[in-house]
Amino acid sequence: MTHVPVEPAPSSASFVEDFIDIFYTPSSVFERRRGASPWPALLVITGLFAILSYVNFKLLGPAIDAEIASNIRKIVEANPQMTAEAAAGTAGFIRMTMLAGAVVLVPLGTLILGLVLWLVAKLFEAQAALSAAFFVATMSWMPRVLESVLSALQGLFLDPTAMTSMAAVSLSPARFVDVATTSPVLVLLLQRLNPFVIWSYIIIAIGIAVMGRIPRSKGALTSLILWILATVPALLGVLRQPGS
């Protein structure tokens, strides 16, 4: 009788282990969760971001205040008729938007990223279901969670006078340029070269390759296209800002 080799089943692991293993063995996470629902993981990551966003707003207050002040100056320059009261109200609105956006960005960004990932991966003949694409997009936030933790830690030790902008406290190459004299487009591109952002897209490349049963090279191309699609609207937004 001919022996038919049996492919070993993916190793089992707890839900908590997924959030640890994603950092050093992401392929095993995606292999064992091929049919998993993305929503429990998304709920956990959204909660983590909500907590870390609040902590970072406290610890990185000087950088946030400087960022808001810079935005207000640009708005006033474009609208000289704006009163001090209106400027103060705008500053408060920007602050609330930054805090709320940091939390809403995760679920909303995951839905958009997952849908676009699924569509782009189809161009490379990926077999992943839409729910699998959402799961990949969800787990790709984990390097950004680590980045938020490290940002909070530097807020404990960094001299407040060095927190001149959000770029100055970022963990990207933008940290090393003078935002006041550097092109906003260049600052954005340097922020998009953040190692934690790149790490996230590496996880996307691995995840869609594993769950979509496509070569890693096609997974990498899919992820690169996503990075470009996410960068272009951000660049257009910067170019539309007053003073850009």
Side-chain angles (χ1 to χ4, degrees):
M1 186 174 73
T2 304
H3 175 70
V4 179
V6 179
E7 183 178 342
S11 59
S12 60
S14 69
F15 182 65
V16 174
E17 287 179 285
D18 288 346
F19 296 102
I20 300 173
D21 293 350
I22 197 66
F23 289 110
Y24 66 93
T25 176
S27 57
S28 65
V29 175
F30 294 121
E31 188 63 57
R32 67 182 177 241
R33 302 300 182 199
R34 281 179 55 80
S37 169
W39 312 125
L42 180 57
L43 183 62
V44 170
I45 292 176
T46 300
L48 289 174
F49 262 97
I51 295 170
L52 290 169
S53 295
Y54 178 79
V55 171
N56 279 319
F57 256 71
K58 293 292 186 181
L59 297 178
L60 301 177
I64 293 170
D65 292 339
E67 192 80 14
I68 293 174
S70 176
N71 289 331
I72 292 299
R73 281 195 300 271
K74 293 178 181 178
I75 294 173
V76 171
E77 288 173 2
N79 303 275
Q81 73 280 6
M82 176 176 283
T83 64
E85 292 78 8
T90 302
F93 176 77
I94 292 175
R95 181 178 294 276
M96 288 190 298
T97 301
M98 289 176 67
L99 181 56
V103 178
V104 175
L105 174 66
V106 177
L108 181 61
T110 299
L111 293 176
I112 296 173
L113 180 62
L115 178 59
V116 177
L117 171 61
W118 181 71
L119 292 172
V120 173
K122 288 295 183 183
L123 299 176
F124 297 100
E125 302 178 338
Q127 303 172 26
L130 181 57
S131 61
F134 284 141
F135 185 79
V136 172
T138 297
M139 298 306 292
S140 73
W141 285 103
M142 284 306 295
R144 305 302 298 272
V145 171
L146 177 59
E147 180 187 20
S148 293
V149 172
L150 296 177
S151 294
L153 289 176
Q154 74 169 341
L156 292 173
F157 304 106
L158 199 63
D159 183 353
T161 60
M163 302 184 193
T164 56
S165 68
M166 291 304 293
V169 297
S170 72
L171 301 178
S172 73
R175 186 189 189 101
F176 305 105
V177 301
D178 184 356
V179 175
T181 59
T182 305
S183 164
V185 172
L186 178 58
V187 172
L188 173 64
L189 290 176
L190 291 175
Q191 289 176 324
R192 292 293 293 164
L193 293 175
N194 182 326
F196 293 92
V197 172
I198 294 173
W199 192 354
S200 295
Y201 281 91
I202 290 174
I203 288 177
I204 289 174
I206 295 172
I208 198 61
V210 171
M211 290 193 148
R213 294 296 191 241
I214 58 176
R216 291 288 177 90
S217 59
K218 291 185 176 181
L221 282 173
T222 300
S223 188
L224 176 60
I225 291 173
L226 287 185
W227 184 89
I228 295 172
L229 290 176
T231 301
V232 169
L235 282 174
L236 294 176
V238 166
L239 291 172
R240 284 196 295 265
Q241 290 179 359
S244 297

